[in-house]
Amino acid sequence: MMLAHFRAPLVAMALVLAAAANQGAVAADVTGTPSPIYGVTIPKGYRQWQMVAPAEEAAPLDELRVVLGNPLAIKAIESATQPFPDGTVLVKLAYRKKQSDDFAPATVPGEPTTVQVMVKDSRRYASTGGWGFGRFINGVPADAAQHQTCFACHAALVKDRDYVFTRYAR
């Protein structure tokens, strides 16, 4: 009975990870255009990074998300190192949720919505807790107005965790 309770969420998360590895609609590896304000770009090869955690965003966004971390991020997370060391990079991939055509109880990734990037550089981003932010839609940086909200939200809600929302999923 307990296994049946977890089956649908596990299937959905497996599908999110598969989509993250194979989704071509977000042209993330081809952009070199930096985000406004912070100058963050999408790092090459990020789709081969280890998963930090999956997430589900409720309405109004209704998204499935997965956060990936570069090797430095994973090492810091596994050892509970905070603040995160300079060079840490976290990437969040977001997809619209949809019901599976193959398994009705499952929610699966639909269209990709954004690639979001956090880069730790305590000198460059001293005024924002050491973090630079990038939000990309179809590989193109979102406008400056959207980037202005990044740090304010992180500072208000997770300052005590070095401004990082995601917790490691073991």
Side-chain angles (χ1 to χ4, degrees), residues 20-94:
N22 298 313
Q23 185 63 261
V26 176
D29 282 336
V30 298
T31 185
T33 305
S35 66
I37 304 172
Y38 301 99
V40 169
T41 59
I42 297 172
K44 290 203 178 283
Y46 74 91
R47 288 183 184 268
Q48 284 71 47
W49 293 355
Q50 186 174 330
M51 180 187 75
V52 175
E56 182 175 3
E57 185 74 26
L61 296 178
D62 288 324
E63 292 180 335
L64 292 174
R65 297 173 170 195
V66 63
V67 176
L68 308 174
N70 70 351
L72 191 58
I74 299 302
K75 183 177 177 182
I77 289 167
E78 288 177 338
S79 65
T81 299
Q82 285 200 5
F84 285 88
D86 283 356
T88 295
V89 183
L90 299 168
V91 174
K92 182 190 314 177
L93 304 174

Side-chain angles (χ1 to χ4, degrees), residues 151-163:
F151 181 66
C153 187
H154 286 251
L157 300 172
V158 288
K159 182 178 181 180
D160 63 328
R161 292 206 324 266
D162 195 21
Y163 306 96

Side-chain angles (χ1 to χ4, degrees), residues 138-151:
N138 292 323
V140 177
D143 63 26
Q146 290 185 28
H147 284 87
Q148 288 172 339
T149 66
C150 295
F151 181 66

